[in-house]
Every structure is written in structure tokens, then in C-alpha cells.
Amino acid sequence: MTSYDIQQLLTQRPFRPMRIHFLEGEMKEIGHPELAWCAGDMLFIGGGRLDNGRLVVEELDAIYGINLIKKIELIETRPAQLGGNGNAQNPPTDA
């Protein structure tokens, strides 16, 4: 996994929310492309909310080394709203 690979996912249109799995078991969801940034070998993940349909980035939530990423899972979603932490919030689906 490289910063280029992550940038490709973040700039893909339409954007698909993703769940990033880290080597030590932690997971982070990115529900909006403007809530994650790559710089060199670092991944910055922010938190935000929707305000009248516009994204408001409120905080820098975490910084990770790209070398700590185990896998990235694209999340199939229904129309989502961002929670206060910037993660896509969807009602559970019946399987």
C-alpha cells in the first residue's frame, strides 16, 4: 500500500466510503474524501459533519504511518450522513 494507492481511492468518483484496517487491529472509516489526506508516508484522518449539505471539517482525528495499513475495505452503503466523527452512519441492513 502506498500513498499513491490511497490517493487513487480518495479521488475516485463517485467516492466510495472505506474502512481502513491497521496491523494492530484498529479500524477507521472514511465517509467523505475530504476527511483523509496523504503526505509522504503518513495518512491523516479528520473528523467532521454535514451542515446544510456542506462538509465542515472539525478536527484532526488521527495520524498513521501508511506502512501500518493491513488492508482497505470499500464499504457498500445506502445514502449516508456523516456522524460527528466524520464516519458514514448507515442504518443496519437486513441480511
Side-chain angles (χ1 to χ4, degrees):
M1 179 68 49
T2 67
S3 60
Y4 177 80
D5 297 327
I6 295 170
Q7 287 294 340
Q8 291 295 101
L9 291 170
L10 292 172
T11 58
Q12 177 181 331
R13 296 296 180 256
F15 173 75
R16 292 182 59 194
M18 61 191 79
R19 182 174 297 119
I20 300 178
H21 298 259
F22 295 94
L23 293 175
E24 294 186 4
E26 187 175 358
M27 290 183 292
K28 285 289 192 178
E29 289 188 5
I30 300 173
H32 193 283
E34 294 178 23
L35 290 175
W37 312 266
C38 285
D41 62 351
M42 302 303 290
L43 174 64
F44 300 83
I45 299 175
R49 63 184 169 80
L50 288 176
D51 184 14
N52 293 323
R54 295 182 56 175
L55 177 68
V56 177
V57 179
E58 296 178 324
E59 63 189 6
L60 176 61
D61 189 34
I63 303 171
Y64 297 96
I66 290 174
N67 62 326
L68 299 177
I69 296 173
K70 180 177 179 180
K71 71 176 182 176
I72 296 179
E73 168 188 8
L74 297 178
I75 303 170
E76 296 298 325
T77 63
R78 293 191 260 167
Q81 293 188 3
L82 294 178
N85 62 0
N87 292 337
Q89 302 294 315
N90 293 303
T93 58
D94 297 326

